[in-house]
Amino acid sequence: MLEKFCNSTFWNSSFLNSPEADLPLCFEQTVLVWIPLGFLWLLAPWQLLHVYRFRSKRSSVNRLYLAKQVLVGFLLILAAIELALVLTEDSGQATVPAIRYTNPSLYLGTWLLVLLIQHSRRWCVQKNSWFLSIFWILSILCGTFQFQTLIRTLLQGSNSNLAYSCLFFISYGLQILILILSALSEKNDSSNNPSSTASFLSSITFSWFDSMILKGYKHPLTLEDVWDIGEELKTKTVVSKFETHMTRELQKARRAFQRRQQQNSQQNSGASLHGLNRSQSQDVLVLEEAKKNKRKSGPTKDFPKSWLLKAFFKTFYIVLLKAVLLKLVHDVFSFLNPQLLKWMISFANDPDAYVWTGYIYAILLSAVALIQSLFLQYYFHLCFMLGMSVRTTIMASVFKKALTLSNSARKQYTVGETVNLMSVDAQKLMDVASVMHMLWSSVLQIVLSIYFLWRELGPSVLSGVGVMVLFIPVNGILAAKNKAIQVRNMKNKDKRLKIMNEILSGIKILKYFAWEPSFKDQVHNLRKKELKNLLTFSVMQAIMTFLLYLTPVLVCVVTFSVYVLVDSNNILDAEKAFTSISLFNILRFPMGMLPMVISSMLQASVSIDRLEKYLGGDDLDTSAIRHDCNFDKAVQFSEASFTWEQDLEATVRDVNLDIMPGQLVAVVGPVGSGKSSLMSAMLGEMENVHGHITIK
């Protein structure tokens, strides 16, 4: 049907058996034309709906916008001219193929749709649409085949469709110009951050950051040179979104915990009633067992768990899913390189192969490497931005919780522990957020590497994998020793600095009693220990580096030796050797990263537990502090009694106090009489016993 539709051959695989291969013209004028058009028409409604929902203030018309609209208008005119030529050429004898009518008609509707989309972007902060940029790229790539086919036809002297060819060439050139203009970013007066207004091509290549690098090269950067952070990354935006999910998940966890407590209490009461009919000795055993269980549970066991991770996931799930998709594409493409390398070597060894196949393989190798690089760098960008957002969220949430934590809960934490939650634990979760995708990615890469190596070398690959696995615990032991050396060295450094401070602060006493040699020996001995540890650390680092570079060579030697020796029919040629080496290089990275990622996640789990306990602590009850804008007094205490803890006696007792606006009131009294407690009660930092405080 398509052959009749095109009035020529749609597909014939015999073109592959030609020194100058070329796709059939009918295929180029149908499928390769409809791919970008289908992409545009399928996603255009979603794009327009998104613009309508999140529209902002309309921007003014600029030269870049006018240039793109004018060029698309020229494309619209060219499509109308082509349709007019077809109509004048048609004599009613069905000599003109139907495709001549279809494509110009489709292009007329498409260019009108593009004009509408570009006009709608005036209501967006980011004027350039990634959606249109991909459409232009697809259109140019698919049009390349028809472009070179028409060039060949004209060079062979065929001028039957010269007018249509000229229209196509002009249209193809205009599309390239529009793609170049789409790569330029339109500035927005409401934001001075170029990342928020960067075009699609500028975003994936990070060229929007070039101006900052150039400015930093010319002179040292100052705070005035740094751009404002994007609205979606500001602390207020991120934390408000996180707190919504955190409150909801914490309430769910507490309700589930209360249900479990009720079930346990019912079971315990039933067991107690059943135990009344037993002997006295059995009753004693039951009571002792209950006491043991209570001691085992402890205070931390009574707290709901695993709600913080759910809150983080619901807050950042879009970024997580984007990172998963990018990493998955990168991992899949990383296994295309060995296969393309295998085909390239096979092409080089085949004297009868057509030259165009070598060009195809070379172009594919370059394209795969380019796509890998773009996806990987954007993946790292998302992961590091996610890590910073997680760290910011934790620091802000802990700081905010410290202001509202109840007095009984606050006594469980020192200032140092609270600071550690905001620094150490936040840093650990930030590090894990940046590398957590390596957990599933490493498993995927290991499985695929072993699968492809098995296809190349058979069971011999297990020997190389075994050698690589043997080196993992060796590296782990060396890393653990290095960590222990670093800990010892930091302790020696702390001792040496402490003694040096003592020497400098008490230099008069040292001189008076002639203690200089004694303290000098102490400092020298500690410095000798430091140097000894540094030497040991350097030796360990050298061994680890040596093993790092030795592993791939040794793995390849062992694998290839076993492959050749187990069977005389196994021939190790360049194709198998280079493909296997490439796969082993892919396998080395995930096997080295997997233990580190697991260790980091185990450390982060401890931080999660600490943060869950702190953020889930009881808050102060500020319901007794009332705020009324229409109140005629500035502050009023009404039979107000407050205490620092519910079990203690009230510190502020039955206070009745009216303070009028503009009135100067002094609270005086000896130390410990309750002056600061009175202020703390007004701020809502004490537990209410009865009464209330009204503040205008």
Side-chain angles (χ1 to χ4, degrees), residues 456-468:
E456 293 293 329
L457 303 175
S460 306
V461 70
L462 297 178
S463 59
V465 175
V467 172
M468 195 174 293

Side-chain angles (χ1 to χ4, degrees), residues 101-153:
Y101 295 100
T102 307
N103 283 352
S105 303
L106 288 174
Y107 275 127
L108 282 173
T110 299
W111 303 140
L112 288 173
L113 181 61
V114 170
L115 287 172
L116 176 62
I117 294 175
Q118 289 184 162
H119 180 70
S120 68
R121 300 301 297 185
R122 292 179 60 193
W123 280 267
C124 299
V125 176
Q126 189 176 15
K127 308 304 178 189
N128 295 286
S129 172
W130 64 269
F131 167 73
L132 280 182
S133 297
I134 294 178
F135 164 72
W136 294 121
I137 293 173
L138 282 175
S139 182
I140 291 170
L141 289 178
C142 293
T144 304
F145 295 94
Q146 188 176 352
F147 180 83
Q148 58 89 26
T149 300
L150 294 177
I151 291 290
R152 286 184 180 185
T153 304

Side-chain angles (χ1 to χ4, degrees), residues 233-244 246 308 312 315-316 387-405 418-427 429 611 614-615 619:
L233 295 175
K234 288 185 178 179
T235 304
K236 180 180 179 180
T237 306
V238 177
V239 174
S240 61
K241 185 178 180 182
F242 170 75
E243 284 182 342
T244 303
M246 183 184 73
L308 189 58
F312 274 124
T315 305
F316 304 107
M388 287 299 300
S389 298
V390 169
R391 183 171 180 266
T392 302
T393 302
I394 293 172
M395 292 177 66
S397 300
V398 171
F399 183 80
K400 192 172 183 180
K401 187 69 177 181
L403 300 177
T404 61
L405 201 63
T418 305
V419 172
N420 282 337
L421 290 173
M422 300 173 65
S423 57
V424 178
D425 295 303
Q427 184 67 36
L429 288 179
L611 287 167
Y614 187 85
L615 295 175
D619 290 333

Side-chain angles (χ1 to χ4, degrees), residues 67 121 295 305 359 414 422:
R121 300 301 297 185
R295 285 196 300 268
K305 300 286 184 181
Y359 287 117
T414 62
M422 300 173 65

Side-chain angles (χ1 to χ4, degrees), residues 17 88 128 151 204 239 256 273 287 343 346 395 398 464 484 505 680:
N17 298 323
T88 56
N128 295 286
I151 291 290
I204 64 175
V239 174
L273 291 173
L287 290 173
W343 296 341
S346 176
M395 292 177 66
V398 171
S505 60
S680 298

Side-chain angles (χ1 to χ4, degrees), residues 40-249:
L40 179 71
W41 283 94
L42 285 175
L43 298 185
W46 172 81
Q47 180 76 187
L48 293 172
L49 179 62
H50 180 79
V51 172
Y52 177 76
R53 289 178 59 189
F54 300 99
R55 63 188 183 277
S56 59
K57 183 180 179 182
R58 187 175 69 173
S59 61
S60 58
V61 176
N62 54 30
R63 294 179 180 178
L64 188 58
Y65 166 77
L66 286 176
K68 289 190 292 185
Q69 292 290 76
V70 168
L71 290 177
V72 176
F74 284 152
L75 290 174
L76 183 65
I77 294 172
L78 290 174
I81 292 173
E82 183 177 356
L83 185 59
L85 286 175
V86 174
L87 292 174
T88 56
E89 184 181 346
D90 189 6
S91 59
Q93 300 175 0
T95 56
V96 178
I99 193 68
R100 294 283 181 85
Y101 295 100
T102 307
N103 283 352
S105 303
L106 288 174
Y107 275 127
L108 282 173
T110 299
W111 303 140
L112 288 173
L113 181 61
V114 170
L115 287 172
L116 176 62
I117 294 175
Q118 289 184 162
H119 180 70
S120 68
R121 300 301 297 185
R122 292 179 60 193
W123 280 267
C124 299
V125 176
Q126 189 176 15
K127 308 304 178 189
N128 295 286
S129 172
W130 64 269
F131 167 73
L132 280 182
S133 297
I134 294 178
F135 164 72
W136 294 121
I137 293 173
L138 282 175
S139 182
I140 291 170
L141 289 178
C142 293
T144 304
F145 295 94
Q146 188 176 352
F147 180 83
Q148 58 89 26
T149 300
L150 294 177
I151 291 290
R152 286 184 180 185
T153 304
L154 291 175
L155 291 176
Q156 291 173 0
S158 177
N159 298 326
S160 58
N161 296 321
L162 183 60
Y164 296 105
S165 300
C166 291
L167 288 175
F168 174 80
F169 293 148
I170 297 172
S171 175
Y172 191 75
L174 290 175
Q175 292 180 42
I176 294 175
L177 286 177
I178 296 173
L179 178 62
I180 295 173
L181 293 179
S182 298
L184 303 178
S185 301
E186 298 185 36
K187 294 183 179 180
N188 193 332
D189 298 333
S190 62
S191 175
N192 70 337
N193 189 345
S195 64
S196 60
T197 58
S199 64
F200 172 71
L201 295 176
S202 179
S203 297
I204 64 175
T205 57
F206 300 100
S207 60
W208 55 268
F209 198 73
D210 293 345
S211 59
M212 181 64 71
I213 296 175
L214 185 61
K215 189 181 293 184
Y217 172 76
K218 292 179 179 178
H219 60 81
L221 296 174
T222 61
L223 188 61
E224 288 75 17
D225 297 325
V226 181
W227 303 310
D228 292 337
I229 192 170
E231 190 65 32
E232 70 280 359
L233 295 175
K234 288 185 178 179
T235 304
K236 180 180 179 180
T237 306
V238 177
V239 174
S240 61
K241 185 178 180 182
F242 170 75
E243 284 182 342
T244 303
H245 298 294
M246 183 184 73
T247 304
R248 189 180 298 118
E249 293 299 326

Side-chain angles (χ1 to χ4, degrees), residues 236-444:
K236 180 180 179 180
T237 306
V238 177
V239 174
S240 61
K241 185 178 180 182
F242 170 75
E243 284 182 342
T244 303
H245 298 294
M246 183 184 73
T247 304
R248 189 180 298 118
E249 293 299 326
L250 181 58
Q251 290 175 352
K252 288 181 182 178
R254 282 176 172 167
R255 286 196 295 267
F257 174 71
Q258 290 172 358
R259 287 195 296 269
R260 289 197 301 269
Q261 274 191 327
Q262 292 175 358
Q263 293 174 359
N264 293 334
S265 62
Q266 291 174 0
Q267 292 175 359
N268 292 334
S269 61
S272 301
L273 291 173
H274 181 69
L276 290 175
N277 298 326
R278 296 186 178 182
S279 63
Q280 184 68 24
S281 60
Q282 289 175 330
D283 292 338
V284 172
L285 290 175
V286 169
L287 290 173
E288 290 179 352
E289 187 67 26
K291 291 179 180 179
K292 288 181 181 179
N293 293 334
K294 186 176 181 180
R295 285 196 300 268
K296 286 180 182 179
S297 64
T300 59
K301 298 293 183 181
D302 295 337
F303 197 78
K305 300 286 184 181
S306 69
W307 55 269
L308 189 58
L309 284 177
K310 295 178 182 177
F312 274 124
F313 177 78
K314 291 184 177 180
T315 305
F316 304 107
Y317 75 96
I318 295 178
V319 180
L320 288 169
L321 294 179
K322 285 182 180 179
V324 168
L325 180 61
L326 292 171
K327 193 69 175 73
L328 182 62
V329 172
H330 169 266
D331 291 346
V332 171
F333 271 73
S334 64
F335 288 95
L336 288 179
N337 275 327
Q339 302 304 316
L340 291 171
L341 180 63
K342 179 180 178 180
W343 296 341
M344 181 71 80
I345 296 173
S346 176
F347 161 76
N349 292 332
D350 186 5
D352 299 328
Y354 297 123
V355 177
W356 62 267
T357 57
Y359 287 117
I360 294 292
Y361 294 149
I363 293 172
L364 287 176
L365 276 171
S366 302
V368 168
L370 177 63
I371 293 173
Q372 271 188 272
S373 178
L374 292 176
F375 275 71
L376 184 63
Q377 299 310 316
Y378 200 68
Y379 159 78
F380 280 131
H381 173 71
L382 285 180
C383 287
F384 287 128
M385 295 299 290
L386 174 64
M388 287 299 300
S389 298
V390 169
R391 183 171 180 266
T392 302
T393 302
I394 293 172
M395 292 177 66
S397 300
V398 171
F399 183 80
K400 192 172 183 180
K401 187 69 177 181
L403 300 177
T404 61
L405 201 63
S406 65
N407 295 318
S408 58
R410 187 180 285 112
K411 284 188 174 182
Q412 300 177 13
Y413 302 96
T414 62
V415 175
E417 289 175 338
T418 305
V419 172
N420 282 337
L421 290 173
M422 300 173 65
S423 57
V424 178
D425 295 303
Q427 184 67 36
K428 286 182 179 179
L429 288 179
M430 172 185 170
D431 296 337
V432 168
S434 303
V435 299
M436 63 180 177
H437 294 290
M438 288 303 302
L439 184 63
W440 62 265
S441 177
S442 297
V443 176
L444 176 65

